[in-house]
């Protein structure tokens, strides 16, 4: 299973990437994907975007799955499928 992850606005400063494809041996939930990303990018990502210990997104960040906000789906329990597009971004960006 492969998922495309788009890092937008402030999130890309923690990953130094705007896009990556992440592979998993089986289907996972959004929280499973975020756990993997937090493991890969470490404390800066975990401290600012997603806390893997508490299984929660920080209040100033949001995830979308195929263009739909995670809160309109099943939140962090949203199941992901092969080929899904996930966007991680901050809620507010300055100009």
């Amino acid at each position: 299973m492969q998922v495309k992850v788009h890092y937008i606005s402030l999130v890309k400063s923690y990953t130094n990437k705007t896009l990556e494809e992440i592979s998993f041996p089986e289907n996972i939930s959004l929280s499973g994907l975020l756990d993997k990303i937090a493991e890969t990018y470490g404390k800066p990502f975990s401290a600012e975007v997603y806390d893997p210990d508490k299984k929660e997104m920080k209040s100033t960040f949001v995830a979308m799955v195929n263009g739909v906000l995670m809160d309109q789906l099943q939140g962090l329990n949203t199941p992901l499928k092969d080929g899904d597009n996930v966007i991680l971004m901050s809620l507010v960006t300055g100009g």
Side-chain angles (χ1 to χ4, degrees), residues 26-72:
E26 57 190 36
N27 289 347
I28 58 158
S29 65
L30 181 57
S31 66
L33 171 67
L34 291 168
D35 287 344
K36 175 68 174 167
I37 294 169
E39 178 184 313
T40 301
Y41 296 107
K43 189 157 181 83
F45 184 88
S46 297
E48 299 297 330
V49 182
Y50 171 77
D51 185 339
D53 295 327
K54 294 181 181 177
K55 300 280 189 224
E56 68 182 17
M57 294 282 291
K58 302 295 181 166
S59 62
T60 55
F61 293 90
V62 67
M64 297 176 75
V65 178
N66 299 321
V68 181
L69 287 169
M70 64 182 228
D71 291 342
Q72 295 174 328

Side-chain angles (χ1 to χ4, degrees), residues 68-86:
V68 181
L69 287 169
M70 64 182 228
D71 291 342
Q72 295 174 328
L73 299 167
Q74 296 174 40
L76 292 171
N77 295 319
T78 300
L80 300 177
K81 305 180 303 298
D82 186 46
D84 278 351
N85 283 286
V86 175

Side-chain angles (χ1 to χ4, degrees), residues 1-12:
M1 176 182 128
Q2 198 163 39
V3 176
K4 284 186 182 178
V5 183
H6 303 263
Y7 304 108
I8 298 176
S9 64
L10 190 57
V11 179
K12 68 183 172 187

